[in-house]
Amino acid sequence: AQSVAQPEDQVNVAEGNPLTVKCTYSVSGNPYLFWYVQYPNRGLQFLLKYITGDNLVKGSYGFEAEFNKSQTSFHLKKPSALVSDSALYFCAVRDRDTGRRALTFGSGTRLQVQP
Amino acid sequence: DTAVSQTPKYLVTQMGNDKSIKCEQNLGHDTMYWYKQDSKKFLKIMFSYNNKELIINETVPNRFSPKSPDKAHLNLHINSLELGDSAVYFCASSPLLGTNEQFFGPGTRLTVL
């Protein structure tokens, strides 16, 4: 079985400050990891993914995420937050050693960036 | 051009009715999915189709029946709608090979009265 935990329902940060949105995962094999963002009344947009290789992954809109195998974490980060980053963020995992292709999502973290 | 499209965007209906939601992708992907997002924003896989073949059915009531006429379309038909079916339904697609990055449609907000 695979699962994802996003321990924070909401993260508040001031514009210009660094932000971190936390994610931990559980899979029986090796993971593919993803971050998606959802703006109000919109579908999910892909931000970035970890497949293999470098543990630091860079994605869209200046976001990056660090894969930590020992801590089974894949935290999303951005050096300087923008008000327009305010949205709902989902971490997702897929076990690449099984044939199951559907993603398992975390419960989402609402990011609120204050001006 | 929209990569993954869904119709309708909003659907309001009475309990007991039967309704369908349509999904189309123009990305040439082989795999399509339906996800349900509840009022607490939790996203859960319902179905997955691979080249018109059902791959995943995640303990969804049999009132929900996906239909894939071709690999670019995956429609969701719901019989005897219940209040608990109210949610946002997202369609997604991904290529068969590779890392399974999924592309999502804009969602259909279903409200059952």
Side-chain angles (χ1 to χ4, degrees), chain B residues 2-31:
Chain B
T2 304
V4 182
S5 59
Q6 294 178 229
T7 53
K9 189 169 182 179
Y10 299 97
L11 185 53
V12 181
T13 188
Q14 300 286 333
M15 267 175 47
N17 284 351
D18 303 338
K19 291 293 179 185
S20 292
I21 307 172
K22 296 186 176 181
C23 177
E24 177 181 1
Q25 53 95 3
N26 62 7
L27 298 167
H29 290 164
D30 302 282
T31 308

Side-chain angles (χ1 to χ4, degrees), chain A residues 34 36 38 49 100-101, chain B residues 37 58 95-96 99-100 102:
Chain A
F34 305 83
Y36 284 83
Q38 185 179 24
K49 62 184 176 185
R100 179 183 169 86
R101 302 187 61 78
Chain B
Q37 186 175 43
E58 287 285 323
L96 177 60
T99 55
N100 202 45
Q102 295 182 18

Side-chain angles (χ1 to χ4, degrees), chain A residues 32 34 36 38 41-44 46 49 51 88 90 94 100-103 105-107 110, chain B residues 31 33 35 37 41-43 45 56 58 90 95-96 98-102 104-106 109:
Chain A
Y32 289 143
F34 305 83
Y36 284 83
Q38 185 179 24
N41 299 314
R42 303 284 294 276
L44 277 75
F46 170 77
K49 62 184 176 185
I51 305 304
L88 188 57
F90 289 96
R94 175 199 159 202
R100 179 183 169 86
R101 302 187 61 78
L103 298 177
F105 284 86
S107 54
R110 188 167 300 283
Chain B
T31 308
Y33 312 80
Y35 288 86
Q37 186 175 43
K41 305 296 185 184
F42 189 67
L43 264 167
I45 182 71
I56 294 173
E58 287 285 323
F90 287 101
L96 177 60
T99 55
N100 202 45
E101 174 187 333
Q102 295 182 18
F104 282 77
R109 182 175 295 276

Side-chain angles (χ1 to χ4, degrees), chain A residues 83-96:
Chain A
V83 173
S84 58
D85 293 330
S86 299
L88 188 57
Y89 290 80
F90 289 96
C91 181
V93 69
R94 175 199 159 202
D95 187 334
R96 63 177 159 141

Side-chain angles (χ1 to χ4, degrees), chain A residues 68-82:
Chain A
N68 187 316
K69 187 171 184 178
S70 62
Q71 297 184 4
T72 61
S73 67
F74 190 55
H75 301 331
L76 181 70
K77 300 182 180 186
K78 188 173 182 182
S80 178
L82 300 172

